Amino acid sequence: VINQNLSKISIDLASRSYSIDIAYNLKPLDVFIGNNNYKKIFIITDSNIANIHLEELLQSLHLLNLSSIIKLVVEPGETSKSFKVFQDLSEEIIANQPDRKSLVIAFGGGVVGDLSGFIASTMLRGIDFIQLPTTLLAMVDSSVGGKTAINSKIGKNLIGTFYQPKMVLCNLSYLKTLPKRQLINGYAEVLKYGLIEDLDFFYWLENNYTNIVESSKYSQANENLSFAVSKSCKIKAKIVVADEKEQNLRAVLNFGHSFAHILEQETGYSNLLLHGEAVAIGISLANRLAYRLKMIESEVVARVDRHLIDVGFVLNPYKIKPEWDIENLKNSIFLDKKNENQKLTFILLENIGKVKIVKNVNFEDFSCVIDDYFKGFLNN
Ligand code: ADP
Ligand code: ZN
């Protein structure tokens, strides 16, 4: 298993096509770079990942006799997705005389991936880049599909491009060093795929989730982990190929996210509530809204909540933060990109594995769902 390439998923986008490799090593990357004549490689990473995994990557690249490898290390965390860091790294790359035969490797989690993709897409109007994700969240979500971004003072991910990588390599061995909280964080997106697209995958996750969120179960042969990552990437790939620039269908990937974003807004996108943790509560809230709109039975809401709790998600918002400004929370829903003319749009389940884009949801229904949810936890 160690040397085997576990699976390869093709993203079919005409001249922008590429593949996602899932493996327990760097071989697919070596093969790709060996087949392409890159003169300079810029590795962008954060200091945590650099400390643990950079040496191995450099060794692997040095074996390919590349003349020039430049390391760019940013601080860990969302603050690195800024204009300032974008500018500093761009200037540093330019000082090293990049050209069309230069490559950027995004070596890290979602922060590094979004930032590096944005830099690669604007550098000389676009140079090649590769995603080498090191978090579960980045493997199953942010590194697939070609969205790049930095943050504005006013909001997250408001500045960015659609720019596809030349390859994605999910080297599952990186996940062994990822803290459990980060594994659970990424799991929210894995679960999302089951809920929106694949009932059998959801059942499978109910029985097998411990193999994904407990890194103590990670051996070279954790077939459950590679199955879950590859299933997630396949579902995302299918949706991205059908709607590369999010005109319509791709919005289903936002299941649970409208609610998640208002919660993240209220916690300042801080460590109090990671993105996946917000998505977990968002999924629970979306299901309550679907129940209120008579789209699903209460058993579905309960079953999904049960699973979220089993996995280790905190659904009680007062355990995240003792006080919430509920009015503020509700009003920030109008910042959501999916809403048109003050009419609310939500991605809701019709059943597990089947999702619908619901337009024209009344603010009243949304508001009641929020109120009931928070009230339900106040008495506990
Ligand atoms: P995400 O991928 O969830 O968007 P980040 O890019 O912010 O998240 O990464 C989450 C945190 O995990 C960061 O502090 C990062 O340095 C750290 N990290 C990323 N990959 C690994 C890894 N393989 N092992 C240990 N820590 C990691
Ligand atoms: Zn997400």
Side-chain angles (χ1 to χ4, degrees):
V1 179
I2 297 179
N3 290 315
Q4 199 181 316
N5 189 0
L6 298 169
S7 85
K8 196 181 197 68
I9 298 153
S10 310
I11 313 273
D12 230 326
L13 293 167
S15 66
R16 297 177 310 293
S17 297
Y18 59 99
S19 57
I20 304 168
D21 281 283
I22 295 162
Y24 271 100
N25 53 58
L26 290 169
K27 263 222 181 99
L29 178 73
D30 294 347
V31 169
F32 179 87
I33 293 179
N35 288 337
N36 287 272
N37 196 19
Y38 292 114
K39 295 278 186 285
K40 263 180 204 152
I41 298 192
F42 296 92
I43 300 173
I44 304 180
T45 189
D46 78 28
S47 55
N48 290 337
I49 301 147
N51 287 338
I52 318 174
H53 298 291
L54 186 56
E55 202 46 49
E56 182 208 25
L57 174 62
L58 291 174
Q59 270 177 20
S60 164
L61 294 175
H62 280 309
L63 291 177
L64 300 169
N65 285 324
L66 289 154
S67 51
S68 177
I69 299 172
I70 296 116
K71 296 166 274 182
L72 305 161
V73 182
V74 303
E75 308 225 310
E78 196 65 32
T79 48
S80 285
K81 275 171 66 176
S82 66
F83 272 112
K84 172 83 171 75
V85 175
F86 167 69
Q87 179 178 5
D88 290 349
L89 294 191
S90 297
E91 296 287 8
E92 204 170 332
I93 290 173
I94 292 163
N96 281 286
Q97 296 165 308
D99 61 23
R100 302 235 158 264
K101 295 265 77 185
S102 300
L103 171 73
V104 169
I105 299 181
F107 183 40
V111 165
V112 165
D114 286 3
L115 171 71
S116 310
F118 186 60
I119 292 172
S121 76
T122 51
M123 182 57 54
L124 309 178
R125 301 201 175 83
I127 59 175
D128 286 2
F129 95 108
I130 285 178
Q131 290 274 16
L132 186 54
T134 61
T135 66
L136 180 60
L137 188 110
M139 289 184 190
V140 298
D141 187 20
S142 56
S143 73
V144 181
K147 280 191 183 179
T148 83
I150 58 171
N151 300 328
S152 139
K153 263 188 226 155
I154 297 169
K156 248 191 90 172
N157 294 338
L158 292 178
I159 300 138
T161 52
F162 283 104
Y163 192 67
Q164 300 295 343
K166 292 291 168 193
M167 88 168 294
V168 179
L169 169 57
C170 300
N171 175 1
L172 300 177
S173 67
Y174 291 145
L175 298 180
K176 279 180 213 159
T177 60
L178 192 66
K180 178 160 183 177
R181 186 178 180 195
Q182 296 290 344
L183 286 171
I184 293 179
N185 186 46
Y187 183 85
E189 305 284 358
V190 175
L191 173 64
K192 177 187 82 178
Y193 295 118
L195 293 173
I196 65 173
E197 264 304 303
D198 196 323
L199 177 63
D200 288 335
F201 186 40
F202 173 75
Y203 290 153
W204 184 90
L205 288 171
E206 281 188 321
N207 294 320
N208 293 288
Y209 70 91
T210 52
N211 294 292
I212 302 158
V213 297
E214 308 267 0
S215 55
S216 59
K217 304 215 172 176
Y218 286 21
S219 65
Q220 295 289 3
N222 185 343
E223 281 162 18
N224 291 319
L225 175 66
S226 55
F227 173 76
V229 171
S230 102
K231 188 86 186 169
S232 300
C233 289
K234 274 179 196 152
I235 294 174
K236 176 143 192 191
K238 187 180 104 178
I239 295 169
V240 166
V241 166
D243 178 22
E244 187 184 4
K245 302 211 167 149
E246 191 158 346
Q247 304 295 311
N248 176 291
L249 185 91
R250 192 166 169 167
V252 302
L253 294 169
N254 266 308
F255 175 61
H257 280 60
S258 303
F259 288 104
H261 289 149
I262 65 176
L263 295 162
E264 287 182 282
Q265 183 84 21
E266 283 299 299
T267 47
Y269 294 92
S270 67
N271 267 341
L272 286 179
L273 185 65
L274 302 179
H275 175 68
E277 296 168 348
V279 169
I281 301 176
I283 287 171
S284 181
L285 283 163
N287 289 346
R288 284 148 200 266
L289 180 58
Y291 173 67
R292 188 182 167 88
L293 300 178
K294 301 196 163 52
M295 295 172 65
I296 55 175
E297 306 289 325
S298 67
E299 287 75 16
V300 174
V301 182
R303 184 162 185 169
V304 175
D305 277 3
R306 179 77 258 149
H307 181 61
L308 291 168
I309 290 162
D310 287 346
V311 170
F313 286 109
V314 174
L315 297 187
N316 181 345
Y318 295 106
K319 290 211 169 131
I320 291 154
K321 187 174 90 141
E323 281 179 44
W324 292 79
D325 185 336
I326 306 283
E327 285 316 301
N328 229 28
L329 178 78
K330 287 181 193 165
N331 284 327
S332 54
I333 196 70
F334 291 109
L335 299 172
D336 197 283
K337 290 191 208 78
K338 287 186 296 301
N339 299 325
E340 291 161 19
N341 310 321
Q342 304 287 67
K343 290 285 165 61
L344 300 179
T345 298
F346 287 95
I347 314 301
L348 300 176
L349 295 186
E350 291 184 295
N351 213 325
I352 296 177
K354 201 161 185 299
V355 85
K356 192 179 170 185
I357 302 174
V358 186
K359 299 194 170 183
N360 295 324
V361 174
N362 291 327
F363 183 75
E364 169 75 16
D365 286 314
F366 160 77
S367 178
C368 283
V369 165
I370 297 280
D371 286 338
D372 290 349
Y373 190 82
F374 278 80
K375 274 188 203 133
F377 285 105
L378 254 191
N379 311 320
N380 287 344

